[in-house]
Amino acid sequence: MTATSALKESSGEENITRRCRKNPFYSIKFFLFCHGLLQLAQLLVSGYLKSTISTIEKRYGLSSQTSGMLTSFNEVGNTVLIVFVSFFGGRVHRPRFIGIGALIASLAGFLMASAHLITSPYEYDHSIANHQDNNTDICQLSPLTSQFSMKPSEGNAHEHKSILALMFIGQLLLGIGGVPIQPFGISYIDDYASERNSPLYIGLLFAITTTGPALAFMLGSAMLRFYVDIDKVSRDSIDITTSDPRWVGAWWLGFLVSASFLAVTCIPYFFFPREMPKEGSGLRTSENKTKKGLMKDGKTKADLLKDLTLLEFIKSFPRILLRTLRSPIFLLVVLAEVNLSAMVAGLATFMAKFLERQFTVTASFANLLIGGVNIPIAVVGIVTGGAIMKRLHMSLKRAALMSTVSLFICVLLATPLLFIGCSTQKVAGLNTEYSNGYLDNNTPECISSCSCRTEAFNPVCGSDGVEYSSPCHAGCRNVTLETMEKTKEPKVLTYTDCSCISADPSNATAAPGQCGSSCSHLLLPFMVLSALAGFVASFSHTPSFIMVLRSVPPEDKSLALGIQFMILRVLAWMPGPVLFGSAIDTACISWETKYNKKASCRYYDNDLFRQRYLGLQLLFECGAFFCFLMVFIILSKLETEREGKKNPEMCKVTEQLVLDKSSNSSV
């Protein structure tokens, strides 16, 4: 009977093994494939907002500080819950929790897109008579009628607050949904992949997911080519192009695409088992525990952690936190990463806006440059840094030296960026005086009878090289139109009879659009230098990660990583965009007014913008450099002390050998 039951049991195990091999959901390789797609989709959703932030600012009248708060708000939910991942990791059905988290993140993406659906159509200033209110932006000698007052309604102000609240809720849910995805996925792969393949699988996972932010900017570049209200108005009624400063792209379309992709990729996770056979073995991990890693009482360290209650875990966390932070190497490396992460957070959020303003490029093209140049080169830098470290078998001291040198070179490459740029173009009434003089009430004499709206924004570039905020502010009384062949709609060619530009009618003309800066030729050297600086700085990514792992006891590694990511979120990813946004706002010289409040910035002092934005970046790079330098100094001293302890012992041994030799010779 015993032999028969044993045979039945073994045949049953063989049947289970065969069934598992046929079922793809019991394959760790299939899980790796699904998780690569899921993390790619999740980073696509979370990174997409950064590619459209300047467009959202323009659409809803947000300051850079407010938009910085919006982008960093997803870290709030993530930071609050990330600590508990270490506690719940081995107690829950990880694939299902990953699927639920992805569904929440997908819902957040749809919420962000829904802000557009409840928004009234976008309105911009026209030079051609609008069919609804017959308003134009050219100089009209008749008194200003009530329809030109543009008083904000209470309904629009309430709508604005509701949209902003909806976006912040969406960002909060996005952070909450992202909590279980990466830690649970990596731990699941590490548990059920073979020890030989586990590092390879995790490396492949990171390689796949690093393309997420780049694809997010590429998606933003594609979506911003479409008009924001493409679903509400006909294409024939749109008389502006992507290069027009009034253009607002379809920022919401990318959220629909990425959120839909994320919703589809989370479906397989509800079919993966809680446990699966270890790769290369027919046994599940729970059955494999008896083979290795057992303590004296027959329990593994993971089992001992599972025995802790939530209250005991919370009580023990401060003790582990203090013990980890007492390591000077860990603390300094994390502080270096805080500096670098804060820099990356600010650059990723506002780099596209900086390129738009500094070099007069479209939002779509700026996103294309970031997604197609900066991010891929930074990824290559990370891989190169890891390859160099593996090739040279670097110790902690050499890893610290490599990080220090890479940051020093990065600072040298980034410093010239402060001087690559141009000043703000001449704008009448802002940084350039009207040449015709002013009346007693400080109104330019050339437009005293034009009844121009103060909030009008339809920039034109005069033949005198000066930019005016609207044709009316240039004193233009006539407009030359051209009928477009496809749409049969009128298109502005030039404005004429512009009294503020010149007294000579033949020279008193203006072209639609901004004059722009004269820095377009400097875009190429700027991109080359910034890409090289990012490439070299990325060399420190892998060495810093290794230094963190080797600077704490083995039993604290998991929680040390959790502490590291928590500190990075609290000190870098949350305040970083807000800090950069606040610095950018201080460079604004002309604000748009919406609902009787300061809204988005229309004109910046480009020199101040460049100095404060890139100066803050340089400050963080210097902070990271000094932290890595201190790590190198500390490790050098520790190495010297170890050698000093070994040398006296060697001297004693040598001295004893000499004494023995002399005694033998005397005998």
Side-chain angles (χ1 to χ4, degrees), residues 144-177:
L144 192 65
T145 57
S146 59
Q147 64 189 8
F148 281 77
S149 61
M150 298 289 286
K151 292 182 179 178
S153 65
E154 293 182 5
N156 286 341
H158 179 72
E159 178 188 275
H160 180 263
K161 291 178 181 177
S162 302
I163 290 165
L164 205 56
L166 189 65
M167 285 186 169
F168 272 97
I169 292 171
Q171 282 293 95
L172 182 66
L173 288 176
L174 184 60
I176 292 172

Side-chain angles (χ1 to χ4, degrees), residues 36 99 127-128 152 198 218 243 267 273 295 353 358 375 406 430 506 512 545 583 641:
S127 300
I128 307 165
S198 179
M218 300 291 277
S243 59
I267 294 173
M295 307 295 283
K353 180 176 183 175
Q358 196 68 216
I375 296 178
S406 65
L430 192 61
S506 61
F545 191 76
E641 288 175 5

Side-chain angles (χ1 to χ4, degrees), residues 40 200-212 379 383:
L40 184 69
L200 174 64
Y201 291 165
I202 293 174
L204 286 172
L205 185 65
F206 278 116
I208 293 169
T209 53
T210 47
T211 59
V379 172
V383 175

Side-chain angles (χ1 to χ4, degrees), residues 609-651:
F609 190 169
R610 184 176 63 256
Q611 291 162 8
R612 292 177 182 177
Y613 179 64
L614 298 180
L616 200 55
Q617 169 196 349
L618 199 60
L619 181 66
F620 283 126
E621 288 170 353
C622 289
F625 165 72
F626 284 115
C627 286
F628 281 131
L629 181 62
M630 290 175 69
V631 171
F632 175 70
I633 292 170
I634 291 172
L635 288 172
S636 298
K637 286 183 178 179
L638 289 174
E639 188 175 304
T640 305
E641 288 175 5
R642 287 196 202 101
E643 289 177 356
K645 288 179 181 178
K646 289 179 181 179
N647 287 337
E649 294 176 1
M650 291 297 293
C651 289

